[in-house]
Amino acid sequence: MKYSLRSLVEVTIKFVADGLKKAHYITNERVETAIFLALILEKPLLIEGPAGAGKTEVAKVLSELLETSLVRLQCYEGLDEARALYEWNYQKQLLRMQADEASGLRWEEVSEHIFSADYLLERPLLKAITAPRRVVLLIDEIDKADEEFEAFLLELLSDFQVSVPELGTVRALERPIVVLTSNRARDLSEALRRRCLHLFIDFPGVEQERRIIELKVPNLDARLAAEAARFVASVRKLGLRKPPSIAETLDWTRALLHLGLKELDTDAIRAALGVLLKHEDDRTKVESRASSLATRPR
């Protein structure tokens, strides 16, 4: 099926499921249904879950699935409208002012020029709103932004428009497909939640992660892939400071492959733990339990 960006009503659950599979994003029916509903209802999708569980990947896969651009806004403490929406191009404005003054124009005429769209530097939100064709807008880790910025987003999430004081209201030419992610570092407001569909993505189960490993690291022995998936699932239950993400699991299994390891014994576990775990106390805790965690103790 060839997807038309102007016909979201044609999207089906099967189209979403097949597209995710084609993009090598292994998930479950619950996630597929949530993505389908967000598309068909044209509502922002708020995805919560632990860091590294694959939330951001949903937006990347959607842009691939829909054959459109991904516009990403990475949130952080102190993020403001100037960084997220727009800034004036002061250098360009200054040059225009100098040229207009030399021509004898009055300030009213000069200001009419320099506070126009031609002198805006578009940041991710404005870029998504003014894009001539539908894009995927990823607002990543919204929980890291301040509550004031979260409130600023409400107009965009409900009406797909933003306000620029000098220009007025700027409405979306094509409604972007909006994906917000949160690691739940803080609670999000009910106002933001009301504007979104909600999806929680946890770390995959053993069988799902085995399938991910086999797909992403195809040269790894199937038995070792299964052992690695079981090991990582057990490690995530140890209450670590930083449980391994899916990406770190894949890096670790690639390391096992490059080290020529064929089975997951205690020596294999210790050989590349630095790829999987990024804190010394986590590594110490896992190493101390390596014998019980290993499939084949040595």
Side-chain angles (χ1 to χ4, degrees):
M1 172 182 175
K2 180 66 175 177
Y3 182 76
S4 169
L5 290 174
R6 294 186 180 277
S7 58
L8 282 177
V9 292
E10 296 177 8
V11 174
T12 63
I13 291 183
K14 184 177 186 307
F15 170 78
V16 173
D18 291 347
L20 295 179
K21 185 177 181 181
K22 185 179 178 182
H24 291 179
Y25 187 84
I26 294 178
T27 185
N28 53 49
E29 187 174 332
R30 183 176 59 84
V31 174
E32 293 168 357
T33 301
I35 293 173
F36 164 70
L37 292 176
L39 292 174
I40 206 74
L41 298 176
E42 296 190 72
K43 298 277 285 185
L45 180 61
L46 169 61
I47 308 177
E48 293 189 300
K55 304 183 298 297
T56 300
E57 197 66 19
V58 169
K60 296 178 180 176
V61 169
L62 267 177
S63 70
E64 182 177 340
L65 172 66
L66 303 179
E67 299 179 350
T68 190
S69 301
L70 174 68
V71 178
R72 180 173 183 166
L73 174 64
Q74 178 64 51
C75 296
Y76 53 86
E77 186 177 354
L79 177 64
D80 57 15
E81 295 180 31
R83 299 286 184 183
L85 185 59
Y86 74 95
E87 284 185 285
W88 290 109
N89 188 333
Y90 297 120
Q91 187 175 18
K92 188 176 178 181
Q93 284 178 319
L94 181 60
L95 291 173
R96 180 60 187 261
M97 288 171 62
Q98 292 172 341
D100 286 351
E101 286 174 359
S103 302
L105 295 181
R106 294 179 292 112
W107 166 247
E108 290 77 9
E109 297 171 296
V110 175
S111 61
E112 185 178 343
H113 293 148
I114 63 175
F115 292 111
S116 64
D118 291 340
Y119 295 84
L120 279 179
L121 293 175
E122 293 183 344
R123 299 310 184 199
L125 297 183
L126 189 59
K127 188 176 295 183
I129 287 290
T130 58
R133 56 178 300 199
R134 196 187 304 273
V135 301
V136 175
L137 171 62
L138 169 63
I139 303 176
D140 208 11
E141 299 184 322
I142 181 61
D143 53 319
K144 288 185 177 179
D146 301 321
E147 293 180 5
E148 291 78 9
F149 182 77
E150 186 184 320
F152 161 74
L153 284 177
L154 297 181
E155 182 184 14
L156 170 69
L157 297 178
S158 60
D159 300 324
F160 294 90
Q161 65 182 33
V162 294
S163 298
V164 179
E166 296 83 354
L167 300 179
T169 301
V170 180
R171 294 183 175 81
L173 300 174
E174 291 280 350
R175 283 191 174 194
I177 296 158
V178 183
V179 176
L180 302 95
T181 71
S182 168
N183 296 330
R184 299 191 297 172
R186 67 170 175 82
D187 289 334
L188 302 177
S189 71
E190 292 302 322
L192 183 138
R193 291 180 181 275
R194 279 199 304 272
R195 287 162 170 79
C196 304
L197 304 187
H198 181 263
L199 173 65
F200 185 87
I201 295 182
D202 205 346
F203 288 120
V206 173
E207 176 58 23
Q208 186 175 329
E209 192 145 30
R210 179 194 65 77
R211 292 170 56 203
I212 295 172
I213 293 171
E214 289 188 346
L215 182 66
K216 303 287 186 177
V217 192
N219 293 329
L220 191 70
D221 179 81
R223 188 176 64 178
L224 184 54
E227 292 175 352
R230 281 194 293 270
F231 172 77
V232 171
S234 299
V235 165
R236 288 185 182 131
K237 296 177 181 176
L238 296 179
L240 301 181
R241 181 177 174 185
K242 165 67 176 65
S245 67
I246 297 174
E248 287 165 331
T249 298
L250 295 174
D251 286 342
W252 177 62
T253 52
R254 292 187 184 103
L256 298 179
L257 180 65
H258 287 296
L259 290 172
L261 299 172
K262 302 295 184 185
E263 58 186 31
L264 202 58
D265 56 26
T266 53
D267 289 341
I269 288 174
R270 294 189 174 100
L273 266 187
V275 181
L276 189 67
L277 305 172
K278 306 302 167 60
H279 293 279
E280 180 61 17
D281 47 350
D282 286 348
R283 188 190 63 78
T284 301
K285 181 181 285 187
V286 172
E287 275 202 345
S288 69
R289 304 187 186 192
S291 296
S292 59
L293 292 171
T295 308
R296 299 178 180 79
R298 175 167 291 182

